[in-house]
């Protein structure tokens, strides 16, 4: 099969490799759509930290069942399916405390084992979720960032009737707008690029602007979500919290970034400052949410390439109008 294979940091080829064989309790998935994100970019630039090579990247995908190993039941060839790329052990302290995303023995498709920038991928069957028949696989592959958003909202206690400001109109920020609007929250988007702001308004944002001062709306919010990973956005966001406000960090900043905040106001206004990392257990909820969200989400996929065009896909991610870039194996 064809696969993108990293042989080292920054060193990749389109390779012909043997298709993986599903082991016991594993599902073999024919990949129909596979997204690339900042994590892949960090792997490509050698900025991810320790990885072992060769490695097939790709962790945001949807496809169809192509086979299974011993012990797997309930699937038919051709069933539409996605799988949480995060492989957790279920036994460590964090798994037992309901935080499988923080698993002490965490592994992940496309990061610590071969992923979905390939024609086929094997996954532990327990991490697979069926997708609705007829769901476009490209939209289906948005289940990974959508799951991240649902986990963030779970962490942050996002609910209807609250005001919310979202910094960053990439895939995470725009999916957050869509979910917040569906919940009945009053969501606003801060994003420098006009096309992404337009998408935010289409997805239900009450307002969108390049900065809070340009926004026709409130200046303080019940919920502040950073989905930009930009230090300036985090600094601005921390100054925008109402009493009992929650600041939710989803954007990935440089590991050495530091940010001042007011411990006095944290106490006096009863703020909460919360982080949200990855998916946790939200794939099934995201698959269900796709039922109502899917028709509005297709427009988030701005660039689609053949698997052979991985270079072009990485380059497209840097363009101002890119939201979600995907490859078709
Ligand atoms: Zn990702
Ligand atoms: Zn664990």
């Amino acid at each position: 099969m064809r696969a993108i294979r990293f042989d080292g940091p920054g060193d990749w080829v389109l390779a012909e490799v043997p298709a993986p064989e599903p082991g016991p309790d594993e599902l073999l998935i024919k990949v129909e759509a596979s997204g690339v994100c900042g994590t892949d970019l960090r792997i490509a630039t050698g900025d991810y930290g320790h990885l072992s090579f060769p490695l097939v990247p790709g962790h945001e995908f949807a496809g169809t069942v192509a086979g299974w190993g011993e012990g797997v039941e309930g699937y038919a060839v051709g069933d539409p399916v996605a799988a949480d790329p995060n492989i957790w052990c279920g036994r460590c302290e964090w798994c037992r405390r309901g935080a499988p995303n923080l698993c002490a023995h965490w592994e992940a498709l496309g990061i610590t084992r071969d992923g979905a920038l390939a024609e086929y991928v094997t996954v532990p069957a327990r991490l697979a979720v069926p997708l609705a028949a007829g769901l476009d696989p490209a939209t289906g592959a948005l289940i990974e960032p959508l799951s991240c958003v649902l986990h963030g909202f779970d962490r942050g206690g996002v609910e209807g009737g609250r005001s919310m400001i979202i910094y960053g109109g990439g895939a995470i920020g725009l999916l957050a707008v869509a979910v917040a609007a569906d919940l009945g929250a009053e969501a606003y988007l801060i994003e420098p690029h006009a096309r992404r702001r337009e998408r935010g308004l289409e997805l239900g944002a009450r307002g969108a602007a390049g900065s809070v001062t340009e926004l026709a709306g409130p200046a303080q919010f019940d919920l502040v979500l950073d989905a930009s990973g930009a230090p300036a956005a985090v600094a601005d966001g921390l100054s925008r919290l109402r009493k009992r406000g929650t600041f939710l960090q989803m954007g990935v900043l440089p590991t050495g970034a530091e940010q001042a905040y007011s411990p006095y106001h944290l106490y006096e206004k009863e703020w909460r400052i919360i982080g949200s990392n990855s998916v946790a257990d939200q794939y099934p909820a995201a698959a269900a949410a796709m039922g109502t969200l899917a028709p509005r989400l297709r427009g988030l996929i701005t660039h689609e390439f053949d698997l052979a065009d991985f270079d072009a896909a990485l380059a497209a991610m840097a363009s101002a109008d890119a939201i979600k870039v995907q490859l078709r194996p």
Side-chain angles (χ1 to χ4, degrees):
M1 67 169 186
R2 296 189 314 158
I4 297 297
R5 189 186 70 209
F6 282 105
D7 290 319
D11 175 16
W12 66 82
V13 289
L14 176 71
E16 190 63 37
V17 301
E21 295 275 342
D25 302 316
E26 284 189 338
L27 209 53
L28 177 69
I29 298 176
K30 181 178 192 304
V31 180
E32 307 280 359
S34 201
V36 288
C37 80
T39 300
D40 302 299
L41 209 52
R42 284 161 63 214
I43 295 172
T45 55
D47 197 25
Y48 189 84
H50 178 75
L51 291 169
S52 42
F53 299 99
L55 173 70
V56 175
H59 58 275
E60 306 182 359
F61 64 98
T64 52
V65 172
W68 48 84
E70 204 184 312
V72 178
E73 287 175 3
Y75 288 99
V77 169
D79 283 351
V81 71
D84 184 344
N86 300 282
I87 304 168
W88 37 269
C89 76
R91 296 181 305 275
C92 74
E93 177 189 358
W94 301 106
C95 285
R96 284 187 280 114
R97 282 172 59 171
N101 53 323
L102 305 180
C103 175
H105 309 289
W106 176 85
E107 300 271 336
L109 299 170
I111 297 170
T112 68
R113 64 178 250 182
D114 285 347
L117 283 175
E119 290 178 71
Y120 293 91
V121 63
T122 52
V123 306
R126 66 190 166 96
L127 300 177
V129 294
L131 296 175
L135 178 68
D136 159 40
T139 308
L142 293 174
I143 190 170
E144 199 270 353
L146 179 60
S147 299
C148 292
V149 167
L150 295 186
H151 175 53
F153 279 33
D154 184 45
R155 291 277 297 149
V158 179
E159 55 188 18
R162 297 290 158 84
S163 60
M164 181 171 191
I165 185 91
I166 295 164
Y167 290 83
I172 293 285
L174 290 170
L175 287 165
V177 166
V179 176
D182 267 23
L183 285 171
E186 197 182 299
Y188 297 86
L189 177 66
I190 301 303
E191 160 59 45
H193 297 299
R195 183 165 168 200
R196 295 182 188 164
R197 290 200 297 268
E198 283 162 26
R199 292 274 184 220
L201 294 170
E202 287 162 17
L203 289 168
R206 297 283 182 93
S211 69
V212 176
T213 44
E214 296 165 64
L215 193 67
Q220 304 276 310
F221 302 87
D222 297 310
L223 290 141
V224 174
L225 166 58
D226 175 59
S228 73
V234 173
D236 191 62
L238 283 167
S239 73
R240 302 282 172 196
L241 287 167
R242 300 185 70 207
K243 290 177 187 171
R244 287 270 170 112
T246 297
F247 181 90
L248 183 57
Q249 184 66 51
M250 291 186 69
V252 182
L253 277 80
T255 47
E258 293 193 0
Q259 173 58 49
Y261 72 96
S262 162
Y264 176 77
H265 287 123
L266 179 65
Y267 141 78
E268 190 254 346
K269 296 179 192 292
E270 296 195 334
W271 288 342
R272 297 191 308 153
I273 300 176
I274 286 181
S276 179
N277 176 355
S278 183
V279 165
D281 50 2
Q282 296 292 324
Y283 253 62
M290 279 286 180
T292 52
L293 286 172
R296 282 178 287 151
L297 300 186
R298 187 63 174 83
L300 296 181
I301 301 151
T302 50
H303 296 76
E304 298 171 74
F305 295 97
D306 181 82
L307 188 64
D309 298 325
F310 186 57
D311 294 44
L314 290 181
M317 284 179 71
S319 76
D321 60 351
I323 298 171
K324 180 49 71 183
V325 176
Q326 288 186 348
L327 292 154
R328 301 275 168 273

